[in-house]
Amino acid sequence: MKTTAKKMSVFQLTTMVAANMLGAGIIMLPTNLAQVGTISVLSWLVTAVGALLLAYIFAQAGMFSQKQGGMGGYAEHRFGKTGHFMASYAYSISLIIANIAIAVSAVGYGAAFFGVDLNATQTSQVTIVLLWFAAILNFRGNRFTGRLSNMTIWGSIVPVLLIGTIGWYWFDPSIYWAAWNPNDLPLYDAVKQSISLTLWGFLGFESAAANADAVENPKKNVPIATVAGTLAVAVVYILSTNVMAGIVPNVDLLNSNAPFGLTFVYMFNDTIANIVMAAMVISCFGALLCWQFTLSRVFKSAAEHGYFPKIFARVNSKDAPVRGVLILLAVETLLTLFTASESLREQFEILVNLAVVTNVVPYVLCILAVPTMMRMAGVAESRIKRSNYLFGIGVLYCLYAIYACGFDAMVGSAVAVSIGLVIYVLRKAWDTRRAHRLQQSID
């Protein structure tokens, strides 16, 4: 007798959304934002508003969607099967890149904790080990991942909350203002240079939609988890990163592979800082566990709908797509070796920009599909017209984020997305030809 795998509750899903953002999105950001200075707080405000708007739009999509498949299902309402494939494919590529960036963050903190300097080859090797370990743990199933993320996320939440609350005791306004704009950038350029980094911190609010097939009562719980998780993380991000900038001199943050650990050195001592760094590594690994889970679910869902090879839909008794995960791990391993860099910060930033641009593609497809969902659900046309203003702002924000990531990231993402589109067109042509031959043989 076949047993039905248990699904996540709304609390577990909300925790996963927060873990996907907070567990790894923040721990290297202070170092990268130090390049721009504390003027990046303006980027935080812009990004927080944009992320909350996108979260609201995705909450609407979760309520009105009549198709399964997460973001792919959302896009299908307006763009058909091609839209479903492109949303799922682009999101999958962004997750593969993001997982490597998360693992790199964990390696940076781990190296600081153990007091070792890793070269590019060693960093890549440890990163690959983390990627494989996190993916293999997901073979235990949905509930196991949810429970483990509930525990590991506190490794980031506690240090970040401490900095955002009691950290004000060590806050020095002179340090903060000295780091306001160290490169004397024009306001527009300063916001543009840091917008991709701050948006990276919020990538993950859509993971509730991506995991809709693994949660109880998705029409109710996906919107709750999306908005609640994003709002909580927005407050935490803005408070903690700005307090840190008033505790640690900008040049020290800029050269740190473990900025939160360094902050606790300034606040307390090396012992407490080491405890914090260990907790951050655990939390980052928990986030990696969640993202590897999300990646496997996206491929599984797309495979079930016929967009990806069927091997990604084959699961074990715990509803884990083991064979598909192993294929994805091979891809992540190759990409890790390909993006290796002597500078952890540079490698992280390259990966972040690529992940952000590629991730925004399905955002745009889903936003444009929401009015169609609302009409299919019988929503009054007057309400749809009012909502269209918000949807338009959401699209403009996404386009600005793509522009802010830079030319190289745009080209890299365009190449990746174009490859996917070519594969889809060729496969569709092949299926059509095969069906035609089959019909001829029958006739």
Side-chain angles (χ1 to χ4, degrees):
M1 181 177 178
K2 186 178 179 180
T3 58
T4 303
K6 293 183 179 180
K7 295 191 174 185
M8 288 186 285
S9 65
V10 63
F11 176 75
Q12 288 178 319
L13 185 64
T14 304
T15 303
M16 173 175 282
V17 171
N20 283 347
M21 290 186 281
L22 185 60
I26 194 174
I27 69 172
M28 281 298 293
L29 279 182
T31 292
N32 294 84
L33 291 174
Q35 300 174 76
V36 179
T38 51
I39 195 174
S40 60
V41 67
L42 301 178
S43 297
W44 273 125
L45 296 176
V46 171
T47 306
V49 173
L52 287 170
L53 173 60
L54 294 178
Y56 171 78
I57 294 173
F58 270 75
Q60 298 299 300
M63 289 188 289
F64 295 119
S65 176
Q66 298 180 19
K67 298 180 182 293
Q68 295 182 331
M71 289 197 292
Y74 295 169
E76 186 178 346
H77 287 82
R78 181 162 184 172
F79 300 102
K81 295 184 180 299
T82 301
H84 191 134
F85 171 82
M86 289 309 301
S88 298
Y89 172 79
Y91 188 56
S92 301
I93 295 298
S94 73
L95 290 187
I96 290 173
I97 299 169
N99 284 348
I100 299 171
I102 293 168
V104 166
S105 300
V107 171
Y109 270 75
F113 175 75
F114 290 107
V116 296
D117 292 323
L118 301 178
N119 58 36
T121 301
Q122 292 168 331
T123 298
S124 295
Q125 290 171 344
V126 179
T127 298
I128 291 168
V129 170
L130 286 180
L131 289 168
W132 279 76
F133 187 43
I136 290 172
L137 282 180
N138 276 309
F139 294 171
R140 297 286 301 276
N142 306 337
R143 284 281 182 176
F144 177 79
T145 298
R147 286 196 300 266
L148 196 57
S149 67
N150 286 343
M151 295 184 290
T152 59
I153 189 177
W154 294 102
S156 283
I157 288 180
V158 172
V160 171
L161 289 181
L162 286 175
I163 289 176
T165 52
I166 67 171
W168 291 101
Y169 178 80
W170 290 269
F171 182 85
D172 186 343
S174 64
I175 294 178
Y176 185 86
W177 290 114
W180 177 252
N181 192 359
N183 300 312
D184 294 323
L185 295 171
L187 178 62
Y188 177 81
D189 289 340
V191 173
K192 175 179 174 292
Q193 285 194 21
S194 51
I195 201 78
S196 62
L197 294 170
T198 52
L199 181 56
W200 157 259
F202 285 101
L203 294 187
F205 72 83
E206 79 290 334
S207 57
N211 290 295
D213 296 343
V215 66
E216 301 165 352
N217 194 4
K219 280 191 172 292
K220 175 184 177 182
N221 293 337
V222 166
I224 292 174
T226 300
V227 175
T230 304
L231 181 60
V233 168
V235 174
V236 170
Y237 275 164
I238 294 173
L239 283 178
S240 60
T241 55
N242 281 276
V243 172
M244 291 174 66
I247 297 175
V248 183
N250 192 66
V251 66
D252 292 341
L253 280 177
L254 183 61
N255 295 306
S256 175
N257 285 336
F260 277 90
L262 179 62
T263 303
F264 275 87
V265 171
Y266 275 81
M267 291 169 58
F268 298 104
N269 53 51
D270 290 341
T271 300
I272 294 179
N274 284 332
I275 294 174
V276 168
M277 285 189 288
M280 285 282 186
V281 171
I282 294 172
S283 178
C284 196
F285 180 77
L288 181 61
L289 179 74
C290 291
W291 276 118
Q292 292 285 51
F293 173 81
T294 300
L295 176 62
S296 68
R297 301 304 301 191
V298 171
F299 268 83
K300 176 179 178 293
S301 177
E304 289 173 341
H305 289 82
Y307 300 105
F308 290 175
K310 289 296 182 183
I311 191 171
F312 291 103
R314 297 174 185 172
V315 298
N316 62 10
S317 61
K318 300 291 185 178
D319 194 37
V322 176
R323 296 179 184 178
V325 169
L326 293 176
I327 295 173
L328 294 173
L329 281 171
V331 175
E332 289 177 337
T333 298
L334 291 174
L335 188 56
T336 300
L337 296 173
F338 182 75
T339 59
S341 172
E342 291 297 335
S343 171
L344 195 70
R345 176 174 58 80
E346 290 180 3
Q347 182 179 10
F348 179 80
E349 190 168 351
I350 291 170
L351 291 167
V352 164
N353 286 336
L354 278 172
V356 168
V357 174
T358 312
N359 209 0
V360 167
V361 172
Y363 288 179
V364 173
L365 293 176
C366 292
I367 293 171
L368 294 176
V370 176
T372 304
M373 296 183 207
M374 297 174 75
R375 289 190 180 93
M376 293 175 66
V379 177
E381 194 66 30
S382 58
R383 179 182 172 185
I384 296 175
K385 288 181 179 179
R386 290 194 301 270
S387 299
N388 281 340
Y389 291 106
L390 290 177
F391 301 154
I393 296 172
V395 171
L396 290 175
Y397 173 74
C398 288
L399 295 177
Y400 174 68
I402 292 174
Y403 166 72
C405 289
F407 181 76
D408 290 343
M410 285 191 283
V411 171
S413 177
V415 170
V417 172
S418 297
I419 290 173
L421 186 58
V422 170
I423 291 173
Y424 177 75
V425 171
L426 291 176
R427 181 178 177 183
K428 192 173 181 179
W430 171 262
D431 290 342
T432 301
R433 183 179 300 177
R434 185 174 58 179
H436 180 67
R437 289 176 178 173
L438 180 62
Q439 185 62 42
Q440 286 182 326
S441 64
I442 294 176
D443 294 339

